[in-house]
Amino acid sequence: AQSVTQLGSHVSVSEGALVLLRCNYSSSVPPYLFWYVQYPNQGLQLLLKYTTGATLVKGINGFEAEFKKSETSFHLTKPSAHMSDAAEYFCAVSANDYKLSFGAGTTVTVRA
Amino acid sequence: DVKVTQSSRYLVKRTGEKVFLECVQDMDHENMFWYRQDPGLGLRLIYFSYDVKMKEKGDIPEGYSVSREKKERFSLILESASTNQTSMYLCASSSGTRTTDTQYFGPGTRLTVL
């Protein structure tokens, strides 16, 4: 079985500041890891995913995440926050099936 | 562009009613999923289907059933709605050939059971 823990249910950053969202996972097999974003009143949209190969993964809108097996982590970062980054972010893990296990989500607020 | 549509954005029903939530995808995807989203709990899988007429229980199937008669359509059924089923329901689909395939989500249906 696999599970995800997102540290911090709310994160507030200033426009232009670093965005860092933390995700730790547990999995009995090598995991596939995903970050999704949900803008207000919308469904979820894939930001990026790690499957195999390079551990630093680049996604849309300037986001990236690094898979660290030794730390069982997959933290999401963006060097400079923009007002349009205000949304809820979900980390998810998948093992050997088609099912995703999601974290509880982190809401990002961007201050002008 | 993949499009996943859900029949209603907002729905209000009474306790005991039978409720149907419909989801349609236009990309010929094999897999379809139903999740419920609650604050502080993230998304939890209710059911998923990997082929027409095939279904598998997710993490929280109690009180729900599903139907997939056509490849593009996946229905979630609440046989007798209860107040604890008030939630946001999200449908998703994926192409299904690999575990790593992206799931594409619909906009969600916010269901209130009174």
Side-chain angles (χ1 to χ4, degrees):
Chain A
Q2 59 270 14
S3 65
V4 168
T5 301
Q6 290 184 240
L7 299 176
S9 59
H10 289 88
V11 168
S12 180
V13 298
S14 298
E15 194 172 19
L18 172 73
V19 179
L20 170 61
L21 304 182
R22 299 179 187 274
C23 172
N24 289 90
Y25 70 90
S26 68
S27 177
S28 55
V29 298
Y32 303 118
L33 295 157
F34 304 77
W35 276 100
Y36 280 84
V37 61
Q38 185 179 33
Y39 298 105
N41 298 314
Q42 294 186 27
L44 275 69
Q45 176 184 357
L46 181 71
L47 271 179
L48 50 80
K49 63 182 177 183
Y50 168 78
T51 55
T52 57
T55 56
L56 182 62
V57 181
K58 295 188 185 298
I60 62 171
N61 301 338
F63 284 93
E64 62 181 36
E66 187 170 10
F67 170 59
K68 292 187 176 180
K69 185 177 178 181
S70 60
E71 298 177 9
T72 60
S73 69
F74 191 56
H75 301 331
L76 181 71
T77 60
K78 182 174 180 177
S80 177
H82 190 271
M83 298 298 287
S84 60
D85 295 326
E88 189 164 18
Y89 293 79
F90 294 93
C91 183
V93 63
S94 177
N96 287 329
D97 54 29
Y98 302 115
K99 294 183 282 187
L100 289 174
S101 295
F102 285 86
T106 299
T107 299
V108 172
T109 304
V110 182
R111 305 186 303 272
Chain B
D1 261 3
V2 175
K3 192 157 188 182
V4 179
T5 56
Q6 297 183 228
S7 51
S8 305
R9 292 300 303 272
Y10 299 92
L11 208 52
V12 179
K13 296 292 182 181
R14 297 209 173 271
T15 302
E17 279 193 79
K18 190 169 186 176
V19 182
F20 293 87
L21 303 182
E22 305 286 339
C23 174
V24 177
Q25 51 92 4
D26 66 357
M27 283 302 292
D28 202 36
H29 281 173
E30 305 293 330
N31 294 339
M32 296 189 74
F33 306 82
W34 275 107
Y35 295 90
R36 65 175 282 176
Q37 181 182 7
D38 299 288
L41 296 178
L43 280 74
R44 292 177 292 167
L45 182 65
I46 304 171
Y47 268 98
F48 82 102
S49 169
Y50 49 90
D51 200 351
V52 175
K53 297 190 186 294
M54 306 303 287
K55 62 185 179 184
E56 192 167 317
K57 292 180 180 178
D59 299 318
I60 52 165
E62 296 78 20
Y64 304 94
S65 62
V66 291
S67 172
R68 193 166 180 202
E69 297 295 321
K70 293 185 178 182
K71 191 174 186 179
E72 68 271 17
R73 187 179 298 269
F74 191 35
S75 302
L76 180 69
I77 303 156
L78 287 66
E79 295 289 342
S80 177
S82 63
T83 55
N84 63 13
Q85 293 178 310
T86 291
S87 187
M88 171 72 88
Y89 290 88
L90 292 167
C91 175
S93 71
S94 71
S95 64
T97 55
R98 295 169 299 183
T99 304
T100 55
D101 286 327
T102 299
Q103 288 190 22
Y104 296 88
F105 284 80
T109 295
R110 187 167 294 283
L111 173 67
T112 302
V113 182
L114 302 175

